[in-house]
């Protein structure tokens, strides 16, 4: 049984690459166009194939239903547009005249005309009843990849290999406006419900939203890592969905331009995309010969079931708030899309656990340190290791870039801190003074000071220019695990294995307050970008949010399934986010709303290896399955015929009754809120000794 995402419906397997798909206007039937020229039609009640339309002799690039649903139009590599009776499947017209591949066919809102887009650089407008070509639209300097009618039928939009979008008067064929901005081919366009906006998908990896009246680009939607080949508006017009060569489909909010969900499952590029008429499903087609169906009404696809296989030891956000880096005991560094949780890449090279990571100030590089005693600098564009810095004799537990990005500081179990030039990789200075392993290091916001925490229970403050120790802060009674400067540099926080957090005044280096409440060792601490909150994580499986002025605990996030090893903040124009990395290999992204009377916490997305995995097993006697549920589980090899299984001695058969609703309820609950978040802190715990 392989992984099933909640919201995923059974997928359809075809005999060739699936280029395009379309729902009928009533949503009862669904058509797909294939690379071998066939068009298969399914009923959506049980997704059984009802007929195959044969006639194209090469790949079908587009299928579309007429507004009344009584006809299907198809466009293909054989240079034709074909019109089919949707009830009988009989061919009604073959529209000829184009001299190259026809990529698209689009009905007018009245259903009496069709616009076709072709590699011969033209758009042709046809009479549906007679098959006659009324006129052609000329002006593009490259092949035309898509055409679309506006909802009122007054305009036709077209897009091209020439990187432009052209708007035409549908009655006269006159070009009204040219929209420019994409950096590569524009693959597909779609009008919004009201016709005031156009979405365009491009080979430049972006989707753009255009104001039709002004001709201006409102949003550039970024996130896809390869060419975007298809785009569609939801029936309500509040969302768009895009499909990319990067194998994903993304759902975007039209008003904000934010990515709401990433749909993963294809193992090849997404070539076609469509909303169901009700807007509750998305269908995606791919060169992997499948059609995948998504129930987007569940809103749970932000659960990403691929991540580190062992403990997550460090998480850090880029300064642009677009990327997240994580380092784990599985010896890898993973780069994530901070908004959606989609995995960007995996960096491998360390031969031991990765204990610490940091982004360069520009966000184009990541530095990492680990159990193999090396420091590595990675280039995110090429995804390669630029330099491996060696010199420490024990593991690296802390790492930090200077604010200027020209120096990296590393803290090691060999009791030293080394300062490395990022350009040359040379060790510029070694800071010596701690009498036990150094566990953490951080630069002040101005870059003139360095703070470090050690197993010798002290915090040391160093002059970043001379390397001299300026101050020794004494207060923790056990290991000082982490240190962090506030965003404006007026506070320094330190965490300890004595279960406390101490806040130090940077002017006097006196301890202003001691925060207590954790019931086990406190490990990571991190200030919010605004500096109003300090987050702390502990071996007690809790994260606490503290007011940095009063020391009050504003909120608790309890019930993590392992020690919280790392924390990082990110801020957008809309919200603050806190990312947690844990011993159970999970990464959770929490949205934090810190208001005067309340501090609210909501899970935004999660990435974890935590999935139920069975081998040589089958689930039997499951009640309450719909035919679609059953088909999906059969595709995953999860259910089968008991008689065959009992004959195999080594096969395990799991009997489950009325399990579907329970699984769905508990899993959705777990994904949306895996930890019960409290904003009324419990009575502060009495201090006890830490666990061994």
């Amino acid at each position: 049984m392989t992984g099933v995402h909640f919201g995923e419906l059974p997928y359809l397997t075809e005999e060739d690459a699936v280029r395009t798909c379309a729902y009928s206007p009533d949503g009862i039937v669904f058509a797909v166009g294939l690379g071998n020229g066939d068009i298969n039609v399914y009923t959506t009640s049980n997704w059984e194939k009802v007929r195959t339309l044969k006639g194209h002799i090469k790949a079908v690039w587009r299928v579309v239903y007429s507004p009344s649903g009584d006809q299907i139009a198809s466009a293909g590599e054989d240079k034709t547009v074909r019109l089919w009776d949707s009830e009988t499947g009989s061919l009604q017209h073959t529209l000829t005249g184009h001299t190259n591949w026809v990529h698209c066919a689009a009905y007018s809102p009245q259903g009496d005309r069709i616009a076709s887009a072709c590699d011969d650089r033209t758009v042709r407008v046809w009479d549906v009843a007679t098959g006659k070509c009324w006129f052609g639209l000329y002006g593009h300097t490259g092949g035309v990849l898509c055409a679309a009618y506006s909802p009122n039928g007054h305009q036709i939009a077209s897009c091209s290999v020439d990187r432009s979008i052209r708007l035409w008067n549908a009655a006269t064929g006159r070009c009204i406006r040219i929209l420019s901005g994409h950096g590569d081919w524009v693959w597909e366009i779609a009008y919004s419900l009201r016709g005031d906006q156009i979405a365009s998908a491009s080979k430049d990896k972006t989707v753009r939203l255009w104001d039709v009246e002004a001709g201006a680009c409102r949003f550039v939607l970024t996130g896809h890592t390869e060419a975007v080949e298809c785009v569609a508006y939801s029936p309500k017009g509040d969302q768009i969905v895009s499909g990319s060569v990067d194998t994903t489909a993304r759902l975007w909010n039209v008003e904000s331009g934010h990515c709401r969900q990433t749909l993963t499952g294809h193992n090849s590029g997404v070539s076609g995309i469509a909303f169901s008429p009700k807007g509750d499903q998305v269908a995606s087609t791919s060169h992997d010969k499948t059609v995948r169906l998504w129930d987007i009404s569940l809103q749970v696809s932000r659960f990403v079931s691929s991540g580190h296989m062992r403990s997550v030891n460090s998480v850090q956000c880029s300064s642009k708030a677009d990327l997240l880096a994580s380092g784990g005991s599985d010896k890898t560094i993973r780069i994530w899309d901070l908004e959606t949780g989609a995995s960007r890449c995996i960096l491998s090279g360390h031969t031991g656990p990765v204990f610490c990571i940091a982004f360069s100030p520009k966000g184009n590089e990541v530095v990492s340190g680990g159990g193999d005693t090396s420091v590595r600098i990675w280039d995110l564009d090429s995804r390669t290791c630029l330099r491996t810095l060696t010199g420490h004799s024990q593991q690296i537990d802390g790492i930090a870039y200077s604010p200027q990005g020209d120096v990296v500081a590393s803290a090691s179990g060999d009791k030293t801190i080394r300062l490395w030039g990022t350009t040359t990789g040379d060790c510029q200075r070694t800071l010596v003074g701690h009498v036990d392993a150094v566990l953490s290091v951080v630069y002040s916001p101005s870059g003139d000071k360095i703070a470090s925490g050690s197993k010798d229970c002290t915090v040391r403050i160093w002059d970043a220019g001379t390397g001299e120790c300026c101050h020794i802060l004494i207060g923790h009674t056990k290991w000082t695990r982490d240190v962090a400067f506030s965003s404006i540099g007026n506070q320094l926080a330190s965490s300890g294995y004595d279960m406390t957090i101490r806040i130090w005044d940077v002017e006097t280096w006196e301890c202003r307050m001691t925060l207590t409440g954790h019931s086990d060792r406190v490990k990571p601490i991190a200030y919010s970008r605004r500096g109003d909150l300090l987050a702390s994580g502990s071996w007690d499986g809790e994260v606490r949010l503290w007011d940095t002025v009063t020391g009050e605990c504003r909120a608790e996030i309890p019930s993590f399934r392992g020690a919280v090893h790392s924390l990082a903040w990110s801020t957008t124009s809309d919200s603050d986010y806190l990312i947690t990395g844990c011993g159970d290999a999970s990464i959770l992204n929490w949205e934090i709303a810190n208001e005067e009377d309340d501090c609210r916490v909501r899970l935004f997305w999660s990435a974890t290896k935590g999935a139920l995995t069975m081998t040589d097993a089958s689930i039997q006697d499951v009640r309450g399955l719909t035919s679609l549920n059953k088909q999906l589980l059969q595709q995953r090899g999860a259910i089968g015929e008991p008689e065959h299984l009992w004959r195999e001695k080594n096969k395990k058969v799991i009997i489950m009754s009325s399990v579907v609703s329970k699984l769905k309820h508990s899993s959705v609950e777990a994904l949306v809120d895996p930890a019960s978040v409290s904003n009324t802190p419990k009575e502060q715990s009495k201090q006890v000794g830490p666990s061994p």
Side-chain angles (χ1 to χ4, degrees):
M1 175 179 178
T2 57
V4 174
H5 296 273
F6 283 93
E8 184 181 2
L9 297 173
Y11 60 85
L12 310 177
T13 303
E14 300 290 355
E15 59 270 23
D16 208 330
V18 192
R19 305 276 187 171
T20 178
C21 65
Y23 284 89
S24 63
D26 57 12
I28 294 176
V29 288
F30 177 83
V32 297
L34 307 183
N36 63 5
D38 288 350
I39 299 166
N40 288 334
V41 181
Y42 294 84
T43 176
T44 58
S45 60
N46 56 14
W47 293 100
E48 290 185 358
K49 189 189 297 184
V50 292
R51 68 178 55 88
T52 298
L53 311 182
K54 290 183 176 289
H56 285 286
I57 57 175
K58 292 185 178 180
V60 176
W61 279 96
R62 182 62 58 93
V63 292
V64 60
Y65 278 87
S66 64
S68 62
D70 61 346
Q71 194 176 70
I72 296 173
S74 58
E77 282 185 18
D78 60 5
K79 309 176 187 178
T80 70
V81 176
R82 293 172 184 258
L83 307 184
W84 312 81
D85 185 295
S86 61
E87 281 293 320
T88 65
S90 61
L91 180 64
Q92 296 177 326
H93 290 291
T94 299
L95 312 182
T96 59
H98 281 299
T99 59
N100 212 324
W101 293 2
V102 186
H103 286 279
C104 181
Y107 280 95
S108 65
Q110 297 76 26
D112 58 338
R113 292 192 178 189
I114 282 178
S116 58
C118 180
D119 262 347
D120 63 11
R121 305 183 181 184
T122 70
V123 175
R124 288 179 176 246
V125 178
W126 310 82
D127 185 285
V128 169
T130 65
K132 173 186 174 182
C133 179
W134 283 106
F135 53 82
L137 308 180
Y138 305 95
H140 282 293
T141 58
V144 187
L145 302 177
C146 184
Y149 271 93
S150 63
N152 61 14
H154 296 165
Q155 277 185 5
I156 296 172
S158 61
C159 62
S160 168
V161 170
D162 66 13
R163 307 181 183 185
S164 74
I165 300 162
R166 287 178 176 252
L167 306 184
W168 312 82
N169 183 301
T172 66
R174 183 175 64 88
C175 182
I176 304 167
R177 180 174 284 117
I178 300 174
L179 310 181
S180 300
H182 279 296
D184 213 323
W185 297 5
V186 186
W187 270 105
E188 188 165 71
I189 47 175
Y191 274 96
S192 64
L193 182 67
R194 296 192 301 269
D196 58 339
Q197 192 178 81
I198 287 175
S200 58
S202 172
K203 193 177 178 181
D204 66 9
K205 308 177 187 178
T206 71
V207 175
R208 287 179 176 248
L209 303 186
W210 305 84
D211 185 296
V212 171
E213 186 66 29
C217 179
R218 287 190 59 225
F219 290 113
V220 179
L221 311 183
T222 59
H224 284 296
T225 58
E226 297 292 344
V228 188
E229 292 194 350
C230 46
V231 66
Y233 276 90
S234 65
K236 292 181 180 178
D238 59 336
Q239 296 184 83
I240 62 171
V241 63
S242 58
S244 169
V245 176
D246 67 11
T247 75
T248 72
R250 287 179 175 241
L251 281 165
W252 310 83
N253 182 289
V254 169
E255 288 300 317
S256 67
H258 289 163
C259 181
R260 299 177 62 178
Q261 292 178 280
T262 300
L263 308 178
T264 59
H266 287 293
N267 55 39
S268 189
V270 178
S271 53
I273 207 84
F275 273 99
S276 65
K278 292 181 180 178
D280 57 342
Q281 288 182 9
V282 165
S284 57
T285 67
S286 172
H287 301 284
D288 64 9
K289 304 181 182 181
T290 70
V291 180
R292 290 190 178 261
L293 308 167
W294 310 90
D295 185 346
I296 62 170
S297 63
L298 291 178
Q299 296 287 307
V300 295
S301 67
R302 286 187 184 269
F303 176 74
V304 185
S305 60
S306 58
H308 289 283
M309 300 308 295
R310 297 181 65 188
S311 173
V312 178
N313 301 319
S314 182
V315 290
Q316 288 292 322
C317 299
S318 66
S319 57
K320 296 178 182 178
D322 59 340
L323 296 177
L324 169 73
S326 60
S329 291
D330 58 6
K331 308 177 186 178
T332 68
I333 298 147
R334 291 175 182 254
I335 308 299
W336 310 83
D337 185 299
L338 191 50
E339 186 174 11
T340 67
S343 177
R344 289 284 188 90
C345 67
I346 300 174
L347 308 177
S348 300
H350 280 287
T351 58
V354 180
F355 289 127
C356 48
I357 51 175
F359 272 99
S360 64
K362 292 181 179 179
N364 60 326
E365 293 178 356
V366 166
V367 64
S368 58
D372 59 8
T373 75
S374 73
V375 175
R376 291 175 179 256
I377 299 177
W378 307 83
D379 179 78
L380 293 184
D381 289 332
S382 64
R383 302 177 182 181
T384 59
C385 181
L386 297 177
R387 291 172 196 84
T388 300
L389 315 179
T390 58
H392 284 296
S393 60
Q394 293 191 37
Q395 71 182 41
I396 316 298
D397 283 304
I399 206 91
Y401 267 98
S402 66
Q404 296 76 27
D406 57 339
V407 179
V408 164
S410 57
S412 171
D414 63 12
K415 308 177 188 179
T416 70
I417 299 158
R418 288 181 176 247
L419 306 184
W420 311 85
T422 56
T423 303
T424 64
D426 294 336
C427 180
Q428 299 178 346
R429 187 170 282 109
T430 302
L431 312 185
V432 179
H434 283 294
V435 296
D436 208 335
V438 189
L439 301 176
S440 54
V441 65
V442 64
Y443 274 90
S444 63
S446 62
D448 61 335
K449 295 287 189 296
I450 295 172
S452 58
S454 167
K455 285 186 179 181
D456 64 14
C457 307
T458 70
V459 176
R460 286 184 176 245
I461 309 300
W462 311 81
D463 185 294
T466 66
E468 293 181 2
C469 181
C470 309
H471 302 279
I472 302 175
L473 312 183
I474 299 174
H476 287 291
T477 58
K478 294 186 178 178
W479 297 358
T480 304
R481 188 59 186 86
D482 201 7
V483 287
F485 278 101
S486 62
S487 56
I488 60 174
N490 64 327
Q491 285 185 1
L492 175 74
S494 60
S495 64
Y497 274 18
D498 58 6
M499 299 180 293
T500 71
I501 300 118
R502 291 177 178 260
I503 307 295
W504 309 83
D505 186 290
V506 169
E507 288 293 323
T508 64
W509 298 111
E510 293 179 354
C511 182
R512 289 186 56 242
M513 62 182 101
T514 301
L515 312 179
T516 60
H518 283 293
S519 58
D520 206 336
R521 296 157 290 178
V522 185
K523 193 175 181 185
I525 50 175
Y527 279 94
S528 64
R529 297 288 174 94
R530 294 184 175 90
D532 57 335
L533 291 175
L534 177 71
S536 61
S538 169
W539 285 82
D540 62 11
E542 286 191 356
V543 169
R544 287 178 174 244
L545 303 179
W546 309 86
D547 187 294
T548 58
V549 176
T550 66
E552 172 196 2
C553 182
R554 297 279 286 153
E556 300 170 19
I557 312 176
S559 305
F560 285 89
R561 292 186 292 270
V564 181
H565 290 318
S566 52
L567 298 167
W569 286 89
S570 175
T571 299
T572 67
S573 58
D574 299 327
S575 299
D576 290 327
Y577 298 91
L578 178 68
I579 296 87
T580 58
C582 300
D584 65 354
S586 68
I587 299 172
L588 305 176
N589 188 358
W590 307 88
E591 185 176 19
I592 311 294
N594 186 31
E595 299 170 354
E596 185 175 349
D597 300 324
D598 194 17
C599 184
R600 291 176 286 107
V601 182
R602 180 181 72 90
L603 182 64
F604 193 56
W605 58 255
S606 64
T608 177
K609 74 179 181 71
L612 177 62
T613 303
M614 303 180 205
T615 57
D616 294 328
S618 179
I619 303 171
Q620 297 300 326
D621 195 26
V622 182
R623 298 168 193 165
L625 285 176
T626 65
S627 60
L628 292 181
N629 294 146
K630 186 174 181 180
Q631 187 178 348
L632 178 59
L633 290 175
Q634 285 174 335
Q635 288 175 343
R636 292 295 194 266
I639 58 176
E641 295 300 324
E643 302 80 34
H644 301 305
L645 296 171
W646 284 115
R647 295 192 190 108
E648 300 180 36
K649 293 183 180 180
N650 295 326
K651 183 75 75 172
K652 303 169 189 175
V653 180
I654 300 170
I655 307 298
M656 303 178 72
S657 299
S658 303
V659 73
V660 173
S661 61
K662 295 178 184 177
L663 274 176
K664 183 175 179 180
H665 174 75
S666 62
S667 297
V668 171
E669 184 177 74
L671 298 182
V672 174
D673 192 5
S676 171
V677 177
S678 168
N679 58 11
T680 307
K682 296 179 286 187
E683 185 178 345
Q684 293 191 349
S685 306
K686 184 179 179 180
Q687 292 193 8
V688 295
S691 313

